[in-house]
Structure formats: structure tokens, C-alpha cells
């Protein structure tokens, strides 16, 4: 019990508390702390199907974001006796906003309406009316549900016209709004507060409910991108790949490394020989994801499967040769074009170092232009790597 209490207090003690509000209600005590740090960085990610979602990493206890100040938030807690979930909103866009999820319409609450698609309620209502009317005609299950609702409203005393109107509204609540539109970038909030909640029982057996508010800065991120950081040793190069938007939980991403304008080299029996690089899994255990080589319909790739929404992935890099009958402007060692060859012998070479590999071809130093890509559209900028 005391260990748990200590952990809760320690976890919440990050940053300086710049403002504090507390009050008692019945047998419970409520504490709201506004911190100046850490400052979390998150991103508005433009969705292909319309609207945005928030991408960013936050502790498990931090589920919502808000543009309320601490006084307004404490009033919300008081009015709802601590039951704040889905009452916490970003009022500037009338949205319930959670990390790594699509925003939801706050008032009236609807998990199927993303208010970053459009703020025009008439456009949303028009879409839903047309969509439901089409489903009533084409989907027997929707038609049956709509008919039962009409009958139920008529039994409650409404005339048919009003019963049909109410039944249409109720049916539309289960329909997801999908309009290929996006509110202007400048309408998306760039500074919010992350709401973190913890609770415990103190020494007097009183329920303590604690809310910690941390600053969040937000940027608009368009498309899928990978930022690459490089760490070198003689034996291998380690790349830290940062994904935007974050990788989704349990959804595999398949990675390859492209060598642009590969350096040519003389290889026996090869008309056009090149030196390139490939990525492979790190040997150490990674708690947030698993990585391995995998063959899929599109080819041979480094597969990464996250256990949770994931920003950073570590991979390693080695050199090997590429053999082709034709001149190449770019090559993939994992996926050579037919009938080209890339044996990846360095992967199983226990004594491999960059220096030893290059010495076989009489090369002292080499400079490569590289690019990380994925099969689902993630891509890095071209970056340079000099070895050894």
C-alpha cells in the first residue's frame, strides 16, 4: 500500500507546480495541479479520408487534452463529482481530443463525428440524412431498426412525421461521418493541456483524486515521414527512426533502405557492381515492439510490430554488394530487381566490420546517400552516411 502510494506521488511529481486548486466533497478530496513541465510535443496528422487526428506519446494515465484553464477545469471536476471522462473538451473546435485517436464531437457528444472535418453542422446533418436514407433503402438491418424506432415513437404519442424525424436522428447516431474535408490549419489549437489522473486512499482512509495538467505544444504534420538519427561504430551503424504519425498498435509496418546513386565497384562476374546498405533488427530486446525480416507479397522487408502507439524504432545497418546487368540510379539490397543479385552475406558474417568489408574492394572510405521507406507510404529524406 505504502509502496503504491509512493509510486503515485513520484510519478505525478514531474515539473514545477505553478498553480494548485483543491477541495473536499463527501469522503473524497480533489487536487488539481498545473505544471510548467514536461512540455509534451504532439502533432495534428492529416487523414486521407478527411479530418485530423492527434499523434503523440503520453503516459497511460493521461487520456484527454483541453484548452480550459485550471480554474475552469476544477469547476468541471466539481460539477461532475470527478467523473470528467468525455466531459473534458477542446472548446475551440468543440471536440473531445485524446492522444492517437480521432477527435470526437463534444456537444452534443458523438464518437462518430470528427469535428476537424468541418465545423458546419448543417453540412454534417445533410450528410447524415442522405447516408441514412440510402442505408434504409439498401440495408435490411438498418431499415428494420429504423422501422422499429418509428413504431416506438408513434406508440409514445408522436405523429408519423415527427416519429420519422426522431427515428432518422437516432439511426444517424450510429453512422460515421466520412467527408473528404479538413478545417483550416490555423483553426487547429497549437497549445493545450494534457490531463493526467491518479487516485489513491490516504492514511485517513479518504479517497484522493488527483489531476495533473501538463503543457502540450502541437504542430500540423502532413503526410507520413521518418526522421533518421545516426549512431556509428566500426561494426555497425544504428539508426533511430522516428515516425510521424506514430505507428499504430499491433499494426505491422514493412521497411526497406534505398541506396541512391550507389557507388560502383568491380565485382568478378558482374557487369555493373555497386556497394549499398541494408537495415536489420537490433539484437537487444525492445519492450515496445518486435522486429524481424519477413517476406510478404510485395517483397522482403524488415517488419516492425508495435505493442503500443510507437514513435521511435531502432535498426542497424550493414554494407553489401549489388550485381546487375544494367546501370542503376538506386538500389535495394533487400529487394533487388530481377534478375539482379544481392546476397546479403555480410548479415551472417560474424567478423564483419565496415572497414574489413570495404578493404575487399580496395576502398578506404565510402559515402552513401540513403533513404528509408515503408510499403504503406512512410519515407525519410535522403541522408548521407560516411563509413567507416
Amino acid at each position: 500500500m505504502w509502496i503504491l502510494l509512493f509510486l503515485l506521488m513520484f510519478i505525478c511529481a514531474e515539473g514545477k507546480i505553478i498553480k494548485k486548486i483543491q477541495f473536499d466533497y463527501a469522503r473524497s478530496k480533489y487536487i488539481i495541479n498545473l505544471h510548467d513541465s514536461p512540455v509534451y510535443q504532439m502533432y495534428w496528422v492529416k487523414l486521407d479520408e478527411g479530418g485530423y487526428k492527434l499523434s503523440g506519446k503520453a503516459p497511460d494515465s493521461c487520456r484527454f487534452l483541453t484548452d480550459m484553464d485550471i480554474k475552469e477545469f476544477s469547476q468541471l471536476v466539481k460539477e461532475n463529482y470527478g467523473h470528467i471522462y468525455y466531459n473534458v473538451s477542446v472548446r475551440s473546435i468543440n471536440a473531445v481530443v485524446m492522444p492517437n485517436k480521432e477527435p470526437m464531437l463534444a456537444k452534443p457528444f458523438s464518437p462518430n463525428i470528427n469535428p476537424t472535418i468541418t465545423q458546419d453542422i448543417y453540412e454534417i446533418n445533410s450528410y447524415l440524412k442522405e447516408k441514412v436514407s440510402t442505408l434504409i433503402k439498401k440495408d435490411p438491418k438498418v431499415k428494420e431498426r429504423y422501422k422499429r424506432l418509428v413504431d416506438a415513437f408513434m406508440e409514445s404519442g408522436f405523429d408519423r412525421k415527427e416519429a420519422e424525424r426522431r427515428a432518422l436522428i437516432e439511426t444517424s447516431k450510429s453512422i460515421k461521418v466520412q467527408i473528404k474535408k479538413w478545417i483550416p490549419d490555423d483553426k487547429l489549437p497549437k497549445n493545450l493541456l494534457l490531463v493526467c489522473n491518479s487516485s489513491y486512499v490516504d492514511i485517513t482512509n479518504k479517497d484522493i483524486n488527483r489531476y495533473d495538467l501538463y503543457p502540450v505544444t502541437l504542430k500540423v504534420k502532413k503526410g507520413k515521414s521518418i526522421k533518421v538519427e545516426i549512431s556509428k561504430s566500426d561494426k555497425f551503424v544504428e539508426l533511430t527512426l522516428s515516425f510521424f504519425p506514430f505507428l499504430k498498435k499491433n499494426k505491422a509496418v514493412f521497411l526497406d533502405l534505398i541506396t541512391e546513386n550507389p557507388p560502383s565497384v568491380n565485382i568478378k562476374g558482374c557487369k555493373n557492381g555497386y556497394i549499398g546498405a541494408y537495415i536489420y533488427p537490433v539484437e537487444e530486446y525492445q519492450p515496445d515492439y518486435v522486429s524481424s525480416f519477413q517476406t510478404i507479397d510485395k517483397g522482403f522487408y524488415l517488419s516492425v510490430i508495435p505493442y503500443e502507439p510507437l514513435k521511435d524504432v531502432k535498426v542497424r545497418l550493414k554494407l553489401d554488394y549489388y550485381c546487375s546487368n544494367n546501370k542503376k540510379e538506386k538500389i535495394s539490397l533487400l529487394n533487388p530487381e530481377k534478375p539482379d543479385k544481392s546476397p546479403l552475406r555480410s548479415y551472417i558474417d560474424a567478423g564483419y566490420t565496415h572497414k574489413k568489408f570495404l578493404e575487399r574492394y580496395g576502398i578506404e572510405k565510402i559515402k552513401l546517400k540513403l533513404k528509408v521507406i515503408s510499403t504503406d507510404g512512410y519515407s525519410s529524406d535522403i541522408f548521407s552516411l560516411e563509413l567507416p
Side-chain angles (χ1 to χ4, degrees):
M1 171 64 190
W2 286 108
I3 294 173
L4 176 61
L5 177 57
F6 173 80
L7 287 173
L8 283 167
M9 295 299 289
F10 181 79
I11 289 167
C12 296
E14 291 186 77
K16 180 182 176 183
I17 295 174
I18 56 177
K19 195 165 184 180
K20 183 174 185 175
I21 295 175
Q22 62 183 45
F23 59 88
D24 293 316
Y25 180 80
R27 292 185 61 258
S28 297
K29 184 174 186 175
Y30 297 91
I31 303 170
I32 300 102
N33 296 317
L34 177 62
H35 298 253
D36 65 352
S37 61
V39 179
Y40 290 89
Q41 177 69 69
M42 297 189 184
Y43 300 88
W44 292 110
V45 178
K46 194 171 186 179
L47 301 172
D48 293 339
E49 62 269 25
Y52 294 81
K53 84 169 188 178
L54 194 70
S55 180
K57 195 163 187 178
D60 292 341
S61 61
C62 307
R63 295 183 57 195
F64 296 93
L65 292 97
T66 186
D67 55 1
M68 298 178 183
D69 61 31
I70 185 173
K71 188 175 180 181
E72 292 166 329
F73 179 78
S74 63
Q75 187 61 35
L76 176 74
V77 172
K78 190 177 291 185
E79 289 172 356
N80 291 276
Y81 311 108
H83 301 291
I84 62 167
Y85 298 118
Y86 301 106
N87 290 311
V88 182
S89 68
V90 176
R91 295 166 302 176
S92 62
I93 55 173
N94 190 27
V96 174
V97 178
M98 305 171 71
N100 304 302
K101 295 182 182 293
E102 285 191 48
M104 298 171 279
L105 188 68
K107 292 183 179 180
F109 178 71
S110 174
N112 290 317
I113 299 175
N114 181 344
T116 64
I117 292 173
T118 176
Q119 295 279 293
D120 188 341
I121 196 67
Y122 297 103
E123 184 176 16
I124 291 172
N125 286 339
S126 176
Y127 171 89
L128 289 172
K129 185 176 180 180
E130 182 180 346
K131 188 76 172 179
V132 172
S133 298
T134 301
L135 288 172
I136 289 170
K137 294 175 183 177
K138 295 185 175 181
D139 191 322
K141 290 182 179 179
V142 176
K143 182 178 181 179
E144 179 60 28
R145 183 171 185 271
Y146 172 74
K147 184 177 180 301
R148 287 201 307 268
L149 285 168
V150 171
D151 293 342
F153 283 124
M154 290 183 67
E155 288 174 8
S156 298
F158 296 102
D159 61 30
R160 174 163 287 276
K161 185 175 180 181
E162 180 62 16
E164 288 177 348
R165 187 185 75 83
R166 289 173 176 262
L168 199 69
I169 292 171
E170 286 300 313
T171 305
S172 71
K173 290 179 180 178
S174 62
I175 305 299
K176 182 169 177 59
V177 173
Q178 292 181 308
I179 307 173
K180 267 205 163 185
K181 291 187 70 175
W182 302 265
I183 64 174
D185 291 1
D186 58 8
K187 298 292 185 184
L188 294 167
K190 305 302 187 294
N191 294 282
L192 295 173
L193 290 173
L194 181 65
V195 180
C196 305
N197 177 228
S198 60
S199 60
Y200 56 94
V201 178
D202 70 5
I203 195 170
T204 66
N205 211 30
K206 194 168 192 174
D207 292 327
I208 308 296
N209 296 281
R210 178 169 172 161
Y211 302 90
D212 291 275
L213 310 180
Y214 295 96
V216 179
T217 59
L218 301 106
K219 296 179 182 178
V220 177
K221 200 82 175 178
K222 297 178 181 178
K224 294 180 174 181
S225 64
I226 303 172
K227 181 182 176 183
V228 180
E229 292 185 4
I230 303 170
S231 174
K232 292 196 299 183
S233 72
D234 184 49
K235 190 171 183 179
F236 57 77
V237 173
E238 187 164 281
L239 306 180
T240 299
L241 310 179
S242 298
F243 292 82
F244 301 99
F246 287 12
L247 300 180
K248 293 180 180 179
K249 179 180 179 180
N250 295 331
K251 184 175 181 181
V253 62
F254 300 99
L255 304 174
D256 196 1
L257 185 68
I258 304 300
T259 305
E260 303 274 351
N261 300 316
S264 60
V265 66
N266 291 323
I267 299 172
K268 187 177 179 180
C270 183
K271 185 177 180 181
N272 293 283
Y274 300 97
I275 298 294
Y278 63 95
I279 50 177
Y280 65 97
V282 297
E283 296 174 359
E284 295 80 10
Y285 167 74
Q286 301 297 317
D288 300 330
Y289 62 92
V290 61
S291 60
S292 62
F293 282 127
Q294 188 172 341
T295 301
I296 59 173
D297 291 343
K298 296 180 180 180
F300 185 61
Y301 294 91
L302 176 58
S303 159
V304 176
I305 303 176
Y307 298 139
E308 59 180 49
L310 185 65
K311 177 188 175 186
D312 295 332
V313 171
K314 290 183 178 181
V315 299
R316 287 184 180 155
L317 174 153
K318 283 184 177 181
L319 303 174
D320 217 313
Y321 74 83
Y322 186 104
C323 183
S324 177
N325 289 326
N326 303 307
K327 291 188 175 181
K328 296 289 182 180
E329 293 183 356
K330 60 182 180 180
I331 58 174
S332 163
L333 300 192
L334 295 185
N335 291 284
E337 294 182 10
K338 293 181 180 179
D340 298 354
K341 294 179 180 179
S342 175
L344 300 182
R345 289 174 185 164
S346 62
Y347 184 61
I348 57 172
D349 181 359
Y352 171 91
T353 66
H354 309 312
K355 185 177 180 181
K356 287 180 182 178
F357 176 84
L358 292 172
E359 283 175 349
R360 297 176 197 167
Y361 304 99
I363 300 172
E364 289 186 11
K365 281 191 176 183
I366 196 167
K367 189 172 183 178
L368 300 176
K369 292 183 178 180
L370 305 168
K371 183 178 183 179
V372 182
I373 62 169
S374 78
T375 56
D376 61 348
Y378 282 98
S379 178
S380 75
D381 293 333
I382 295 174
F383 60 96
S384 296
L385 176 65
E386 191 171 298
L387 292 172

